[in-house]
Amino acid sequence: MNTPASLDVDQARGRLGELTVIDVRTPGEYASGHLPGALNVPLDRLRSALPVLGSARTGLLVVCASGNRSANACALLAEHGVPAATLTGGTGAWAERGHELHRPATTTRAGWSMERQVRFTAGALVLTGLALGLLHPAWQLLSAGVAGGLVFSSLTNTCGMAALLSKLPHNRPRPADLDATLTALAERVS
């Protein structure tokens, strides 16, 4: 896989007005804070936006929490002839530099980041496996399976648990939300 073009926080901030920013995190993560003007198109729904993104007349900046998902998104876009750059370090680096993150006005509570959801789920599964292992040793395989999954995740820089968690209702956009986002995106890129 080719390394996508990337912009550091200072470069992105200086060019923010001339870029269309696409946030590929889950809706819950997006609601917890995103770059000014960013539109939420979750990574697993990015193919739905390809026709609109392909007609973009502005540069595309793809953003996620740390830069991993946005790099995957940029690779997918490149496969379809859509040039895009990723934000080095993602929204985490943006916030660390003291730049403002916008939050939707209708959100009453912030969602957990995907990383936090994965840590919670992995920890809960390990503890469950250990506790049930007191009843029958076979349950300890649950803890071993989670540990093996975490090692695999680290080695491959992928996360199957995050992929599963992204399917939960609170991490999925309602179809109307994605339709509204794609409409707003079409208006920006034309």
Side-chain angles (χ1 to χ4, degrees), residues 118-119 121-123 126 143-161:
V118 168
R119 287 192 324 251
T121 304
V126 168
S143 299
V146 171
L150 291 172
V151 170
F152 179 79
S153 174
S154 176
L155 293 174
T156 61
N157 199 26
T158 62
C159 187
M161 189 177 292

Side-chain angles (χ1 to χ4, degrees), residues 41-63:
V41 180
L43 182 59
D44 66 341
R45 304 294 301 272
L46 192 62
R47 289 186 188 278
S48 302
L50 281 172
V52 177
L53 293 170
S55 64
R57 292 191 178 141
T58 62
L60 294 177
L61 178 64
V62 183
V63 180

Side-chain angles (χ1 to χ4, degrees), residues 21-86:
V21 181
I22 306 297
D23 192 319
V24 294
R25 297 176 298 157
T26 66
E29 291 176 292
Y30 174 81
S32 69
H34 55 270
L35 271 67
L39 295 171
N40 185 219
V41 180
L43 182 59
D44 66 341
R45 304 294 301 272
L46 192 62
R47 289 186 188 278
S48 302
L50 281 172
V52 177
L53 293 170
S55 64
R57 292 191 178 141
T58 62
L60 294 177
L61 178 64
V62 183
V63 180
C64 68
S66 65
N68 290 332
R69 284 178 280 178
S70 60
N72 291 337
C74 285
L76 174 67
L77 291 170
E79 287 174 15
H80 291 85
V82 180
T86 182

